[in-house]
């Protein structure tokens, strides 16, 4: 029997895991080693403890063994993960399992588990096609539709980075351009590392010229994601991409949006207003600041002792988790 098929299946499985966990090949290897050794260690220590307990009834032995293994396994993999340099990955992994089982609070606290149990759903504009993407000719016999995304960002670019990571290796979604109005923005360094073409946009041409439509067309851009982009989107761009521009805002719109409401300004205002909760809003873009139809909102609490920075951290975590997923759902075929 040929070994080519099982090998191809195995490689595919590894690729899928890499994509799911967003890790490179080396890290995947280290993670799998940790699972294997952690599992064996669990079995070994479990048996030793059971022998010491010397329980005679089979049914009791089995029940206690299962409970013991369940408790030992997270500890064993965490210990082993230290030696493979994968502690952070496994801590997150185990917390995730714990949160799903309702045993531990998830990373962002219990409110996040609430969001997850409500089932993550994005709002697409039913009446209009969300994704009239360009069609890329691959072979004569086959065409695949690709969603070529441009990310517009002016700041550090942490959201842009998460989106790039999320779609790395995707068959049909490609981050094809980073557009930026600030030549010193951190997001440009990310683009350089990731080898993604960039476009530096100037106010005059953007707002009163053709809004860089030729450049976007040239790169076959089908969808625009604003991630910390602070200029209003001009009519020319809205007309060309009527339902294909989305934005993320670090508060629960319609509250705390509008001109000048970005970054820490938003969090300072939310804290000053003694709000008990804040969150993120992902929405379609229209001719007003932070105003289009809402696609998704995720809430988090505002704590008594929050500073704008601590609240920003909590909200950034939500943004990083939900923005890439929301884009994927919107562009899903
Ligand atoms: C994000 O928090 C985003 O919600 C906000 O800018 C930040 C960009 O951070 N956008 C707005 O305030 C838009 N009104 P990043 O550069 O690290 O992705």
């Amino acid at each position: 029997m040929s070994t080519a098929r099982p090998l191809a299946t195995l490689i595919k499985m590894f690729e899928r895991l890499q994509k799911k966990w967003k890790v490179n090949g080396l890290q995947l290897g280290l993670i799998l080693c940790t699972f294997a050794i952690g599992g064996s260690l669990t079995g070994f220590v479990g048996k030793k403890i059971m022998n010491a307990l010397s329980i005679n009834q089979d049914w009791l032995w089995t029940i206690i063994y299962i409970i013991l293994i369940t408790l030992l396994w997270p500890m064993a993999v965490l210990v082993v993960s230290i030696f493979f340099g994968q502690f952070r990955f496994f801590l997150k992994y185990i917390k995730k399992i714990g949160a799903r089982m309702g045993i531990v609070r998830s990373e962002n606290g219990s409110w996040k588990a609430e969001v997850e149990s409500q089932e993550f759903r994005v709002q697409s504009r039913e009446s209009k096609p969300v994704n009239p993407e360009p069609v890329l000719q691959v072979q004569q016999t086959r065409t695949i539709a690709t969603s070529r995304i441009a990310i517009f960002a002016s700041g550090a670019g942490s959201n842009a980075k998460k989106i790039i990571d999320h779609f790395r290796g995707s068959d049909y979604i490609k981050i094809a351009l980073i557009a930026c109005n600030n030549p010193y923005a951190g997001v440009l360094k990310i683009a350089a590392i990731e080898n993604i073409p960039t476009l530096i946009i100037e106010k005059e041409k953007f707002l009163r010229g053709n809004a860089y439509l030729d450049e976007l067309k040239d790169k076959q851009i089908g969808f625009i994601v604003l991630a910390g982009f602070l200029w209003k989107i001009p009519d020319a761009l809205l007309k060309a991409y009527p339902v294909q521009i989305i934005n993320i805002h670090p508060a629960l719109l319609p509250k705390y949006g509008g001109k000048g409401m970005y970054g820490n300004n938003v969090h300072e205002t939310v804290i000053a207003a003694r709000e008990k909760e804040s969150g993120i809003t992902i929405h379609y873009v229209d001719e007003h600041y932070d105003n289009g139809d809402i696609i998704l909102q995720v809430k988090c609490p505002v704590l008594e002792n929050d500073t704008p920075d601590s609240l920003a951290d909590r909200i950034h975590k939500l943004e990083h988790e939900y923005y890439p997923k929301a884009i994927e759902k919107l562009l899903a075929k």
Side-chain angles (χ1 to χ4, degrees):
M1 197 183 83
S2 152
T3 54
R5 221 159 169 206
L7 193 67
T9 313
L10 199 67
I11 291 172
K12 256 212 167 108
M13 193 183 86
F14 286 157
E15 282 171 354
R16 237 179 271 143
L17 281 177
Q18 253 179 275
K19 228 164 119 188
K20 185 172 170 204
W21 291 334
K22 302 189 186 78
V23 294
N24 60 31
L26 174 69
Q27 204 187 345
L28 181 68
L30 295 171
I31 289 168
L32 295 179
C33 286
T34 306
F35 270 122
I37 298 173
S40 309
L41 187 66
T42 307
F44 177 78
V45 177
K47 286 261 167 61
K48 288 262 176 231
I49 296 175
M50 291 310 288
N51 287 346
L53 292 177
S54 53
I55 296 164
N56 294 325
Q57 290 102 322
D58 280 357
W59 64 270
L60 189 61
W61 192 96
T62 311
I63 289 174
I64 294 181
Y65 184 65
I66 290 173
I67 295 172
L68 196 60
I69 292 290
T70 312
L71 296 176
L72 280 177
W73 181 81
M75 290 188 263
V77 286
L78 276 180
V79 170
V80 176
S81 71
I82 296 170
F83 297 99
F84 287 96
Q86 300 306 316
F87 184 76
R88 277 179 66 181
F89 173 88
F90 276 93
L91 190 65
K92 209 167 151 197
Y93 186 84
I94 286 164
K95 272 189 185 166
K96 217 173 186 176
I97 296 177
R100 260 188 217 150
M101 292 166 77
I103 299 168
V104 293
R105 277 165 75 94
S106 59
E107 250 180 32
N108 292 324
S110 56
W111 62 90
K112 191 179 134 202
E114 247 169 56
V115 169
E116 277 179 355
S117 67
Q118 278 169 18
E119 197 202 325
F120 174 71
R121 204 175 300 148
V122 299
Q123 204 69 37
S124 68
R125 287 184 178 175
E126 234 71 45
S127 52
K128 302 171 196 165
V130 149
N131 185 22
E133 68 281 316
V135 171
L136 181 73
Q137 207 68 29
V138 174
Q139 284 171 2
Q140 298 229 302
T141 50
R142 196 171 147 236
T143 57
I144 55 162
T146 60
S147 291
R148 292 175 59 84
I149 296 178
I151 299 178
F152 281 50
S154 331
S158 68
N159 277 287
K161 173 83 173 85
K162 289 289 168 186
I163 295 165
I164 293 165
D165 286 347
H166 188 85
F167 292 113
R168 195 187 306 286
S170 165
D171 293 337
Y172 70 99
I173 293 183
K174 186 172 170 61
I175 310 304
L177 184 70
I178 302 279
C180 181
N181 62 307
N182 171 9
Y184 305 105
V187 70
L188 292 176
K189 289 196 190 101
I190 295 171
I193 292 167
E194 299 286 346
N195 236 342
I196 298 173
T198 55
L199 175 68
I200 302 291
I201 52 181
E202 284 160 13
K203 207 163 199 167
E204 194 53 33
K205 178 165 172 182
F206 187 61
L207 297 181
R208 282 169 280 278
N210 80 338
Y212 291 89
L213 281 178
D214 295 340
E215 288 82 351
L216 294 172
K217 218 164 118 193
D218 188 48
K219 289 267 179 292
Q220 294 186 293
I221 299 302
F223 200 78
I224 295 175
V225 170
L226 311 186
F229 186 74
L230 306 179
W231 288 353
K232 200 141 91 178
I233 299 302
D235 282 350
L237 206 52
L238 290 171
K239 271 203 190 109
Y241 293 89
V243 287
Q244 295 89 20
I245 309 179
I246 63 168
N247 180 41
I248 189 158
H249 185 76
L252 298 172
L253 293 174
K255 279 173 139 186
Y256 307 109
K259 195 165 188 226
M261 275 295 177
Y262 59 86
N264 270 14
N265 293 353
V266 178
H267 308 311
E268 274 164 20
T269 318
V270 166
I271 290 172
R274 308 190 75 77
E275 290 285 357
K276 291 273 171 288
E277 54 182 25
S278 188
I280 61 169
T281 303
I282 297 168
H283 65 95
Y284 292 98
V285 171
D286 68 9
E287 63 274 31
H288 306 290
Y289 279 110
D290 304 324
N291 186 65
D293 292 352
I294 289 173
I295 297 163
L296 174 74
Q297 287 190 310
V298 185
K299 293 177 184 172
C300 67
V302 179
L303 306 177
E304 280 291 313
N305 55 352
D306 259 334
T307 62
D309 282 344
S310 64
L311 182 56
D313 274 357
R314 194 172 306 122
I315 283 184
H316 254 126
K317 274 189 188 147
L318 288 184
E319 293 187 332
H320 295 165
E321 168 151 20
Y322 286 97
Y323 208 13
K325 286 184 192 167
I327 296 166
E328 184 172 346
K329 286 213 173 186
L330 278 175
L331 298 183
K333 295 187 189 307

